[in-house]
Amino acid sequence: GAGVSQSPRYKVAKRGQDVALRCDPISGHVSLFWYQQALGQGPEFLTYFQNEAQLDKSGLPSDRFFAERPEGSVSTLKIQRTQQEDSAVYLCASSSRGAGSPEYGYTFGSGTRLTVV
Amino acid sequence: AQSVTQLDSQVPVFEEAPVELRCNYSSSVSVYLFWYVQYPNQGLQLLLKYLSGSTLVESINGFEAEFNKSQTSFHLRKPSVHISDTAEYFCAVTKITGNQFYFGTGTSLTVIP
């Protein structure tokens, strides 16, 4: 596609529910990133994929967070047993470059706003 | 580790006035520096970046930023702002061999007619 597409745009979940957030990167983009942006904060890194391989998951805040990219294109971020502190905008970004090439910048999606009530 | 500080959370400015959005960073290794802009309900868009060479970098819509290594700063400036510049601006750094961006907390620029 022309840009990075994320769905749903908004998600309201009851505390304890599981949620799945989808990211469609730009076609052919090798690298895919997930960031979490809490209200009033800058985005914070969650995890990074190069094709289907998850090369860095150091930013995932707990074992309730899980991300996958099984075929090297679409990615899903899953949050189990959601808590109120999970409320944030989840941003996906992709890049045509592989690891270690941040100078080319990334294309960000519009994000999924998750509200846990 | 890398970190970014944006001291000004909100900056109101009148239309056609100049503006400076401040950014300071901390890093023990060489970094690349970026400014991203986020319009309401949209994703982050790259505004400009410093990789190497000339310390003054410019965007296509009149913004510029200057890398100052001694002061570890990368302030964003525009000599005359427009209403359409109203947005959230994020400064970010990344290690030159890294993958993840480290963002500041953002500066909300509001241009007043």
Side-chain angles (χ1 to χ4, degrees), chain A residues 63-76:
Chain A
D63 58 7
R64 297 186 294 104
F65 287 71
F66 173 77
E68 59 183 6
R69 194 186 185 198
E71 298 179 357
S73 55
V74 171
S75 177
T76 304

PDB file of all heavy atoms in Angstrom, chain A residues 63-76:
ATOM      1  N   ASP A  63       5.487  -9.868  29.975  1.00  0.00           N
ATOM      2  CA  ASP A  63       5.220 -11.062  29.160  1.00  0.00           C
ATOM      3  C   ASP A  63       3.768 -11.117  28.701  1.00  0.00           C
ATOM      4  O   ASP A  63       3.363 -12.065  28.017  1.00  0.00           O
ATOM      5  CB  ASP A  63       5.604 -12.333  29.921  1.00  0.00           C
ATOM      6  CG  ASP A  63       4.865 -12.472  31.242  1.00  0.00           C
ATOM      7  OD1 ASP A  63       3.967 -11.654  31.509  1.00  0.00           O
ATOM      8  OD2 ASP A  63       5.204 -13.387  32.001  1.00  0.00           O
ATOM      9  N   ARG A  64       2.980 -10.108  29.033  1.00  0.00           N
ATOM     10  CA  ARG A  64       1.626 -10.039  28.493  1.00  0.00           C
ATOM     11  C   ARG A  64       1.622  -9.508  27.055  1.00  0.00           C
ATOM     12  O   ARG A  64       0.621  -9.619  26.357  1.00  0.00           O
ATOM     13  CB  ARG A  64       0.751  -9.128  29.357  1.00  0.00           C
ATOM     14  CG  ARG A  64       0.547  -9.629  30.791  1.00  0.00           C
ATOM     15  CD  ARG A  64      -0.452  -8.752  31.549  1.00  0.00           C
ATOM     16  NE  ARG A  64       0.038  -7.388  31.759  1.00  0.00           N
ATOM     17  CZ  ARG A  64      -0.385  -6.347  31.068  1.00  0.00           C
ATOM     18  NH1 ARG A  64      -1.311  -6.479  30.133  1.00  0.00           N
ATOM     19  NH2 ARG A  64       0.117  -5.141  31.320  1.00  0.00           N
ATOM     20  N   PHE A  65       2.735  -8.929  26.663  1.00  0.00           N
ATOM     21  CA  PHE A  65       2.862  -8.368  25.324  1.00  0.00           C
ATOM     22  C   PHE A  65       3.576  -9.367  24.417  1.00  0.00           C
ATOM     23  O   PHE A  65       4.633  -9.899  24.770  1.00  0.00           O
ATOM     24  CB  PHE A  65       3.656  -7.056  25.363  1.00  0.00           C
ATOM     25  CG  PHE A  65       2.911  -5.893  25.941  1.00  0.00           C
ATOM     26  CD1 PHE A  65       2.623  -5.831  27.291  1.00  0.00           C
ATOM     27  CD2 PHE A  65       2.488  -4.849  25.122  1.00  0.00           C
ATOM     28  CE1 PHE A  65       1.923  -4.759  27.831  1.00  0.00           C
ATOM     29  CE2 PHE A  65       1.797  -3.773  25.660  1.00  0.00           C
ATOM     30  CZ  PHE A  65       1.522  -3.718  27.009  1.00  0.00           C
ATOM     31  N   PHE A  66       2.987  -9.550  23.252  1.00  0.00           N
ATOM     32  CA  PHE A  66       3.541 -10.510  22.303  1.00  0.00           C
ATOM     33  C   PHE A  66       3.339  -9.971  20.900  1.00  0.00           C
ATOM     34  O   PHE A  66       2.274  -9.468  20.565  1.00  0.00           O
ATOM     35  CB  PHE A  66       2.833 -11.860  22.473  1.00  0.00           C
ATOM     36  CG  PHE A  66       3.196 -12.889  21.439  1.00  0.00           C
ATOM     37  CD1 PHE A  66       4.393 -13.561  21.501  1.00  0.00           C
ATOM     38  CD2 PHE A  66       2.313 -13.185  20.410  1.00  0.00           C
ATOM     39  CE1 PHE A  66       4.726 -14.510  20.542  1.00  0.00           C
ATOM     40  CE2 PHE A  66       2.631 -14.134  19.451  1.00  0.00           C
ATOM     41  CZ  PHE A  66       3.843 -14.800  19.523  1.00  0.00           C
ATOM     42  N   ALA A  67       4.363 -10.060  20.056  1.00  0.00           N
ATOM     43  CA  ALA A  67       4.246  -9.591  18.679  1.00  0.00           C
ATOM     44  C   ALA A  67       4.706 -10.673  17.734  1.00  0.00           C
ATOM     45  O   ALA A  67       5.592 -11.469  18.066  1.00  0.00           O
ATOM     46  CB  ALA A  67       5.068  -8.328  18.469  1.00  0.00           C
ATOM     47  N   GLU A  68       4.098 -10.686  16.559  1.00  0.00           N
ATOM     48  CA  GLU A  68       4.487 -11.671  15.558  1.00  0.00           C
ATOM     49  C   GLU A  68       4.384 -11.078  14.166  1.00  0.00           C
ATOM     50  O   GLU A  68       3.620 -10.135  13.927  1.00  0.00           O
ATOM     51  CB  GLU A  68       3.613 -12.917  15.667  1.00  0.00           C
ATOM     52  CG  GLU A  68       2.144 -12.679  15.485  1.00  0.00           C
ATOM     53  CD  GLU A  68       1.324 -13.949  15.673  1.00  0.00           C
ATOM     54  OE1 GLU A  68       1.900 -14.992  16.060  1.00  0.00           O
ATOM     55  OE2 GLU A  68       0.109 -13.909  15.420  1.00  0.00           O
ATOM     56  N   ARG A  69       5.119 -11.670  13.254  1.00  0.00           N
ATOM     57  CA  ARG A  69       5.118 -11.278  11.841  1.00  0.00           C
ATOM     58  C   ARG A  69       5.439 -12.529  11.038  1.00  0.00           C
ATOM     59  O   ARG A  69       6.491 -12.641  10.434  1.00  0.00           O
ATOM     60  CB  ARG A  69       6.152 -10.167  11.605  1.00  0.00           C
ATOM     61  CG  ARG A  69       6.012  -9.449  10.278  1.00  0.00           C
ATOM     62  CD  ARG A  69       7.150  -8.474  10.043  1.00  0.00           C
ATOM     63  NE  ARG A  69       6.946  -7.697   8.835  1.00  0.00           N
ATOM     64  CZ  ARG A  69       7.911  -7.035   8.199  1.00  0.00           C
ATOM     65  NH1 ARG A  69       9.158  -7.043   8.677  1.00  0.00           N
ATOM     66  NH2 ARG A  69       7.639  -6.343   7.102  1.00  0.00           N
ATOM     67  N   PRO A  70       4.531 -13.463  11.024  1.00  0.00           N
ATOM     68  CA  PRO A  70       4.830 -14.822  10.555  1.00  0.00           C
ATOM     69  C   PRO A  70       5.279 -14.927   9.104  1.00  0.00           C
ATOM     70  O   PRO A  70       6.060 -15.825   8.774  1.00  0.00           O
ATOM     71  CB  PRO A  70       3.516 -15.574  10.796  1.00  0.00           C
ATOM     72  CG  PRO A  70       2.478 -14.522  10.899  1.00  0.00           C
ATOM     73  CD  PRO A  70       3.148 -13.319  11.477  1.00  0.00           C
ATOM     74  N   GLU A  71       4.804 -14.057   8.224  1.00  0.00           N
ATOM     75  CA  GLU A  71       5.154 -14.168   6.816  1.00  0.00           C
ATOM     76  C   GLU A  71       5.989 -12.987   6.352  1.00  0.00           C
ATOM     77  O   GLU A  71       6.154 -12.776   5.146  1.00  0.00           O
ATOM     78  CB  GLU A  71       3.885 -14.311   5.973  1.00  0.00           C
ATOM     79  CG  GLU A  71       3.101 -15.581   6.305  1.00  0.00           C
ATOM     80  CD  GLU A  71       1.838 -15.708   5.471  1.00  0.00           C
ATOM     81  OE1 GLU A  71       1.537 -14.779   4.683  1.00  0.00           O
ATOM     82  OE2 GLU A  71       1.152 -16.734   5.620  1.00  0.00           O
ATOM     83  N   GLY A  72       6.471 -12.230   7.307  1.00  0.00           N
ATOM     84  CA  GLY A  72       7.354 -11.122   6.955  1.00  0.00           C
ATOM     85  C   GLY A  72       6.649  -9.909   6.384  1.00  0.00           C
ATOM     86  O   GLY A  72       7.302  -9.025   5.822  1.00  0.00           O
ATOM     87  N   SER A  73       5.325  -9.859   6.517  1.00  0.00           N
ATOM     88  CA  SER A  73       4.628  -8.658   6.050  1.00  0.00           C
ATOM     89  C   SER A  73       3.760  -8.110   7.186  1.00  0.00           C
ATOM     90  O   SER A  73       4.262  -7.350   8.003  1.00  0.00           O
ATOM     91  CB  SER A  73       3.797  -8.957   4.808  1.00  0.00           C
ATOM     92  OG  SER A  73       2.900 -10.038   5.045  1.00  0.00           O
ATOM     93  N   VAL A  74       2.503  -8.531   7.272  1.00  0.00           N
ATOM     94  CA  VAL A  74       1.602  -8.049   8.318  1.00  0.00           C
ATOM     95  C   VAL A  74       2.121  -8.474   9.691  1.00  0.00           C
ATOM     96  O   VAL A  74       2.657  -9.578   9.865  1.00  0.00           O
ATOM     97  CB  VAL A  74       0.185  -8.610   8.094  1.00  0.00           C
ATOM     98  CG1 VAL A  74      -0.715  -8.298   9.285  1.00  0.00           C
ATOM     99  CG2 VAL A  74      -0.398  -8.061   6.800  1.00  0.00           C
ATOM    100  N   SER A  75       1.944  -7.586  10.642  1.00  0.00           N
ATOM    101  CA  SER A  75       2.349  -7.886  12.017  1.00  0.00           C
ATOM    102  C   SER A  75       1.172  -7.669  12.954  1.00  0.00           C
ATOM    103  O   SER A  75       0.303  -6.816  12.707  1.00  0.00           O
ATOM    104  CB  SER A  75       3.501  -6.985  12.443  1.00  0.00           C
ATOM    105  OG  SER A  75       3.866  -7.217  13.798  1.00  0.00           O
ATOM    106  N   THR A  76       1.153  -8.448  14.022  1.00  0.00           N
ATOM    107  CA  THR A  76       0.127  -8.315  15.046  1.00  0.00           C
ATOM    108  C   THR A  76       0.780  -8.145  16.402  1.00  0.00           C
ATOM    109  O   THR A  76       1.704  -8.902  16.746  1.00  0.00           O
ATOM    110  CB  THR A  76      -0.794  -9.545  15.080  1.00  0.00           C
ATOM    111  OG1 THR A  76      -1.366  -9.742  13.787  1.00  0.00           O
ATOM    112  CG2 THR A  76      -1.915  -9.343  16.090  1.00  0.00           C
TER     113      THR A  76
END
